[in-house]
């Protein structure tokens, strides 16, 4: 299947003119404002209640809009953001170690291997400080120094200490802060939260987003919701790999349905493989558990120097250990960015020096830190992570080094958005992990929480006004034929999948897809593997639609039906990811093409030909999508080969 | 604690077709359970087996599978979240069971948490308690510099001890009175430790306690069963704090 090509990008990214440091300020002064008394006439749907969705829904409710928010879980507070551990970045420079908005911007652009937009990233760094202020005011109990001021820690890819944290539960505390703001708006009647309700389609009228179709997950009833704007805050799609650190309900369906309705999907293959996760233990494994990157502040990564050394780690003498990150990258050491740490772990395991039963693990050792700072200090910093590790592996990391291995963790790709966070479908916005905007080809640690909250608290409340002033509120209601059509197609799809009554379970398909993705669209990719992946996924998808068994009835609580619909969409997304990876023969950030590496084996970019965003346009299932390219223009930073040596 | 790698278990699982169905236990036996599996992975295997026989799988709530989202809600052998202290059901591993064990699995049982299907219950009452007052009113963009109000490390740490509640509801399930005091107290206590919480202190505790009563949760009679099952170790000092705050709010 040939890919139709369009080299020019016909959609405007709406980046304001003027110097980088002034763009956002100027833009805020220029956006059109909705008259306060008119705001209540506008209905906004916010799909998702993670950091992005909860903060957006609460802030828009406060401004006076009518907001309806949706989530899959039984409470808004359970969104996947709750699981984030390590921290959130901000350019406060409280540590007086030379941090600044510029430096945070620069680190993020560089960390993303120069595949993100300067203007978006600068704005992100600019609002980062407001986020910390807002969260503290909400009562988020960030870690503090004895003097009462806020504490910071370091994270990978940065040489300053700018990460704010709340023990190992930063995401939980930030989400509970946003959730509390959201519940306050629920109390005041400005926001309605629909829990256990899943968006299954976007409704467009003349190409403009006017509502959604959802399924009430308790009763199975298909529902219609009309609105003047739809905000997609539905998180990432790492579960396309089956095993990932994402929560089990994380999925691509909402974003995928928008893609099918005309929203471009950008850089789908840009996936982050996180270096510090608990290794796979068996076939039955249902998900992978992250051990926060913050552990690399104190833990030292090593493997035995010799291949196949099966001795107990504590019996391997110092001189027979290879602290390979410290050896290869003396200036960043254990704090190299994630993509670099992951690839190196894979390399040492490929060399036969991996540890543990499977040989697919490396050690993360705290012995030196405990000797230096005492067990109590380490317990204070990472107690709950150590506990979690012990619960899962039955090993005590205070005594035996942790075993870790890379796992799929985050997806930098997502719906293409302009500077206002609007997709190519007017009225449809995407926030948080669901969009592609700020992390380029690799996300730095503690930057996803920052981005989700930046989008929700500080960007969308300004930029949505620009769009809304152009539309008449309530133009379309749920009796419009676009709703009839969308509802009929969803009902038919549900019936179809339930009636296959095949011989394989949904999990069988998901696992098989995950294996193809991990082997061929995972940590390293090459042309042949990617071509095979495209064929294999397409075949698997056909098999799914003829041989899957989905239990139960449409109109009841039915988790496996939900699951089947999500896996069906993953089976389409996986193919697009492989295509996207194939059409980018350079290596950059988390996207590593075997064909493109430096003599030292590091990712080698090809700036001349690939300094662009790839954005894909749907043309039909089993049909080749159209490839668009948005050139990335760097006016303020010089593109260099990333070096962490 | 099993020292075998592979065990067999018998399961007695609560099955209930919907809110109006009476419900019943059904028996299943599972062979070849790897003891490194998590409890929920064991249920995944059960469901796979059931579906391979074209039978109805058991519905249960779960999401993060790392003890933080508060979705999982299984009463295992009569204990909410099962036999391991400070462990949510999703973090429980099969190595804590023995070959041949019979394991009973039920949903939370409380009037305020009606069963939706099988092991899935409705916990929206918790959201309504939070909506009544579990927040600091501060509109987006209105915050002073984060370091403007110093907070002692001791107070911040203590607030954090209460803030880690995952909202699972095990405390309610364990309480003979089905009281939600530990859950509500945790939020009241967190915000009572922080200067940010002070301005709304009185309305907050009153509104949250009243909502708790309205939802049909029972009173607290100091059984302390809640603290024993809480997967994150919320202390019952939170309930004492809530009471003091409540009394202060009512009589000042
Ligand atoms: C284990 C782990 C640790 C992490 N640690 C950190 C960290 O320390 N620092 C950091 O910066 N980042 C971290 N991240 C990344 C970060 O947590 C996420 O990128 C971020 O929280 C995503 O937030 P979100 O609001 O975009 O989406 P999510 O939090 O994923 O929320 C998605 C929401 O959308 C809803 N939803 C999805 N589909 C539908 C649908 N079809 N209909 C209705 N609702 C739907 C869900 O119910 C949910 O409410 C971590 C990630 C993981 C997996
Ligand atoms: S107090 Fe403990 S048991 Fe109760 S809801 Fe919170 S975490 Fe669960
Ligand atoms: S599944 Fe999230 S706490 Fe158990």
């Amino acid at each position: 299947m040939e890919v139709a090509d369009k080299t020019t990008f016909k959609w405007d990214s709406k980046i304001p003119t003027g110097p980088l440091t002034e763009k956002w300020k100027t833009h805020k002064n220029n956006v059109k404002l909705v008259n306060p008394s008119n705001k209540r006439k506008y209905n906004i749907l916010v799909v998702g209640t993670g950091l992005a969705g909860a903060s957006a829904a609460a802030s828009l409710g406060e401004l006076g809009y009518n907001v309806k928010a949706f989530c899959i879980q039984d409470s808004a507070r359970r969104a996947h953001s709750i699981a984030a551990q390590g921290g959130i970045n901000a350019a406060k420079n409280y540590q007086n170690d030379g941090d600044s908005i510029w430096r945070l911007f620069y680190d993020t652009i560089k960390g993303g291997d120069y595949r993100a937009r300067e203007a978006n990233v600068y704005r992100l760094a600019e609002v980062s400080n407001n986020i910390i202020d807002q969260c503290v005011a909400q009562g988020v109990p960030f870690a503090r120094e004895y003097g009462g001021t806020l504490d910071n820690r370091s994270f990978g890819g940065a040489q300053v200490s700018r990460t704010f944290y709340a023990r190992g539960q930063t995401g939980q505390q930030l989400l509970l802060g946003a959730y509390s703001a959201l519940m306050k708006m629920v109390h005041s009647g400005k926001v309605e939260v629909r829990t256990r309700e899943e968006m299954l389609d976007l409704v467009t009228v003349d190409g403009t987003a006017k509502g959604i179709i959802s399924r009430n997950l308790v009763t199975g009833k298909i529902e219609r919701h009309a609105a003047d704007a739809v905000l997609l805050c539905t998180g990432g799609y790492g579960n396309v790999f089956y095993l990932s650190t994402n929560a089990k309900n994380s999925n691509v369906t909402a974003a995928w349905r928008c893609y099918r309705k005309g929203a471009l999907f950008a850089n789908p293959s840009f996936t982050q493989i996180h270096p510090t996760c608990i290794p796979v233990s068996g076939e039955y494994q249902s998900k992978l558990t992250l051990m926060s990157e913050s552990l690399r502040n104190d833990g030292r990564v090593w493997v035995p120097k010799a291949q196949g050394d099966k001795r107990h780690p504590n019996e391997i003498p110092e001189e027979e250990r290879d602290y390979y990150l410290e050896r290869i990258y003396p200036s960043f050491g254990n704090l190299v960015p994630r993509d670099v740490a992951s690839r190196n772990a894979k390399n040492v395991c490929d060399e036969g020096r991996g540890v543990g039963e499977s040989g697919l693990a490396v050690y993360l050792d705290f012995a030196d830190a405990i000797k230096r700072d005492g067990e109590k200090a380490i317990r204070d910093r990472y107690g709950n992570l150590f506990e979690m590790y012990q619960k899962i592996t039955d090993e005590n990391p205070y005594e035996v080094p942790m075993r870790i291995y890379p796992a799929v963790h985050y997806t930098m790709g997502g719906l293409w958005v302009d500077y206002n966070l609007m997709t190519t479908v007017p009225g449809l916005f995407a926030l948080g992990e669901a969009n592609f905007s700020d992390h380029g080809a690799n996300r730095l640690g503690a930057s996803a929480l920052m981005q989700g909250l930046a989008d929700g608290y500080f960007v969308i409340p300004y930029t949505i006004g620009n769009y809304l002033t152009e539309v008449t509120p309530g133009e379309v209601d749920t009796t419009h034929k676009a709703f009839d059509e969308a509802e009929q197609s969803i009902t038919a799809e549900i019936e179809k999948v339930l009636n296959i009554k095949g011989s394989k379970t949904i999990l069988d398909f998901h696992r098989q897809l995950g294996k193809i993705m991990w082997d061929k669209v995972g940590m390293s990719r090459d042309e042949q593997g990617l071509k095979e992946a495209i064929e294999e996924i397409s075949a698997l998808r056909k098999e799914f639609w003829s041989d899957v068994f989905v239990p139960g009835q449409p109109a009841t609580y039915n988790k496996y039906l939900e699951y089947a619909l999500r896996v069906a969409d993953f089976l389409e997304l996986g193919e697009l990811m492989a295509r996207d990876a194939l059409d980018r023969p350079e290596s950059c950030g988390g996207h590593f093409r075997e064909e493109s590496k430096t003599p030292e084996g590091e990712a080698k970019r090809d700036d001349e030909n690939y300094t662009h965003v790839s954005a894909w346009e749907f043309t039909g299932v089993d049909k080749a999508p159209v490839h668009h390219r948005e050139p990335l223009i760097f006016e303020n930073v010089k593109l260099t080969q990333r070096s962490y040596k | 604690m099993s020292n075998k790698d592979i065990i067999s278990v018998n399961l007695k699982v609560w099955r209930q077709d919907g809110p109006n169905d009476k419900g019943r236990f059904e028996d299943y036996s599972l062979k070849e359970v790897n003891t490194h599996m998590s409890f929920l992975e064991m249920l995944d295997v059960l469901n796979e087996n059931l579906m391979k026989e074209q039978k109805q799988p058991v519905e249960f709530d779960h999401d993060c599978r790392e003890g933080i989202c508060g979705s999982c809600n299984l009463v295992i052998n009569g204990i909410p979240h099962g036999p391991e202290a400070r462990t949510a059901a999703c973090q429980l591993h099969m190595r804590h069971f023995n070959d041949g064990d019979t394991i009973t699995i039920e949903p939370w049982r409380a009037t305020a948490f009606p069963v939706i299907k099988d092991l899935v219950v409705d916990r929206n009452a918790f959201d309504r308690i939070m909506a009544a007052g579990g927040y600091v009113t501060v509109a987006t963009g209105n915050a002073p510099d984060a370091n403007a109000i110093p907070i002692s490390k001791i107070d911040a740490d203590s607030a954090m001890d209460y803030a880690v509640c995952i909202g699972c509801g095990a405390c309610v399930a364990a309480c003979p009175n089905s009281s939600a005091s530990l859950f509500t107290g945790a939020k009241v206590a967190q915000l009572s430790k922080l200067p940010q919480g002070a301005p709304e202190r009185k309305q907050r505790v009153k509104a949250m306690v009243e909502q708790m009563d309205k939802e049909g949760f029972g009173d607290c009679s100091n059984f302390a069963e809640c603290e024993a099952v809480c997967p994150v170790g919320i202390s019952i000092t939170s309930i004492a704090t809530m009471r003091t705050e409540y009394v202060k709010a009512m009589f000042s």
Side-chain angles (χ1 to χ4, degrees), chain A residues 47-53 70-73 76 78-88 155 170-171 175 197-200 233-236 245-247 249-251 253-254 287 290 292 338 409-410 431-434 443-450 452, chain B residues 66:
Chain A
V47 188
T49 62
L51 287 179
F70 299 80
C71 66
I72 290 172
Q73 294 79 0
R78 302 202 206 287
H80 165 61
S81 294
I82 201 93
Q85 302 170 347
I88 176 165
F155 249 58
T170 315
L175 182 58
E197 185 147 338
E198 181 167 13
M199 166 178 169
L200 292 180
C233 312
T234 47
T245 62
N246 288 10
N249 289 305
S250 298
N251 72 94
T253 289
K287 77 156 288 190
L290 177 82
S292 165
R338 293 175 173 174
H409 176 60
Y410 181 88
L431 283 66
E433 195 173 338
R443 174 176 71 77
L444 290 185
S447 288
L449 301 182
M450 170 170 74
Chain B
E66 19 187 276

Side-chain angles (χ1 to χ4, degrees), chain A residues 85-95 99 128-129 132 136 142-143 150-153 155 161-167 170 174 446 449, chain B residues 146-147:
Chain A
Q85 302 170 347
I88 176 165
N89 287 332
K92 283 283 195 186
N93 192 31
Y94 283 161
Q95 306 306 323
D99 201 7
S128 67
N129 293 338
I132 303 303
V136 166
F142 283 120
L150 291 158
D151 189 19
N152 291 114
R153 55 167 55 143
F155 249 58
S161 204
R162 63 160 74 99
T163 305
F164 293 79
Y165 67 102
R167 288 191 197 144
T170 315
L174 296 175
L449 301 182
Chain B
N147 260 347

Side-chain angles (χ1 to χ4, degrees), chain A residues 375-543:
Chain A
E375 187 170 317
K376 172 154 188 323
I378 297 301
R379 194 178 298 276
D380 282 352
R381 272 172 231 160
Y382 315 110
N384 71 312
L385 296 174
F386 278 41
E387 223 175 272
M388 184 145 85
Y389 181 86
Q390 187 159 12
K391 273 180 190 155
I392 293 172
T393 62
D394 207 21
E395 285 174 5
N396 178 357
Y398 293 98
E399 288 162 10
V400 186
M402 282 184 180
R403 279 175 297 111
I404 53 163
Y405 198 65
V408 173
H409 176 60
Y410 181 88
T411 46
M412 281 76 72
L415 292 184
W416 183 91
V417 289
D418 64 16
Y419 190 71
N420 294 320
L421 304 182
M422 190 153 88
T423 67
T424 48
V425 174
L428 175 69
F429 295 78
L431 283 66
E433 195 173 338
N435 72 27
F436 87 108
S437 70
D438 296 351
H439 306 293
N442 172 56
R443 174 176 71 77
L444 290 185
S447 288
L449 301 182
M450 170 170 74
Q451 184 224 329
L453 291 179
D455 289 358
Y457 283 136
F458 297 110
V459 179
I460 198 71
Y462 291 92
T463 59
I464 200 169
N466 235 8
Y467 172 75
L468 290 176
T469 48
E470 313 266 298
V471 298
T472 319
E475 241 173 352
V476 170
D477 67 23
T478 54
T479 58
H480 194 282
K481 72 173 189 327
F483 279 92
D484 296 338
E485 285 161 13
E487 179 175 336
Q488 278 156 17
S489 105
I490 288 299
T491 311
E493 186 185 335
I494 290 175
E495 247 166 60
K496 183 172 166 201
V497 83
L498 280 166
N499 286 333
I500 301 170
K501 297 270 177 261
S503 68
K504 286 171 75 174
T505 65
I506 309 155
L507 187 63
D508 290 335
F509 286 99
H510 198 183
R511 269 207 193 110
Q512 218 171 320
L513 172 65
K515 188 162 166 25
I516 301 172
M517 295 301 293
W518 180 250
D519 289 345
K520 297 181 174 164
V521 199
M523 247 189 298
S524 80
R525 301 154 171 188
D526 61 36
E527 185 179 335
Q528 193 196 335
L530 290 167
K531 286 187 169 155
E532 287 165 10
I534 294 171
E535 296 299 315
E536 288 168 25
I537 296 168
S538 154
L540 189 64
R541 189 168 60 236
K542 293 194 181 84
E543 197 189 337

Side-chain angles (χ1 to χ4, degrees), chain A residues 73 136 179 286 391-392 505, chain B residues 48 63 86 95 127 196:
Chain A
Q73 294 79 0
V136 166
Y179 162 81
S286 62
K391 273 180 190 155
I392 293 172
T505 65
Chain B
E48 285 297 294
D63 197 20
R86 295 201 55 175
R95 64 179 79 93
D127 282 339
Q196 297 92 313

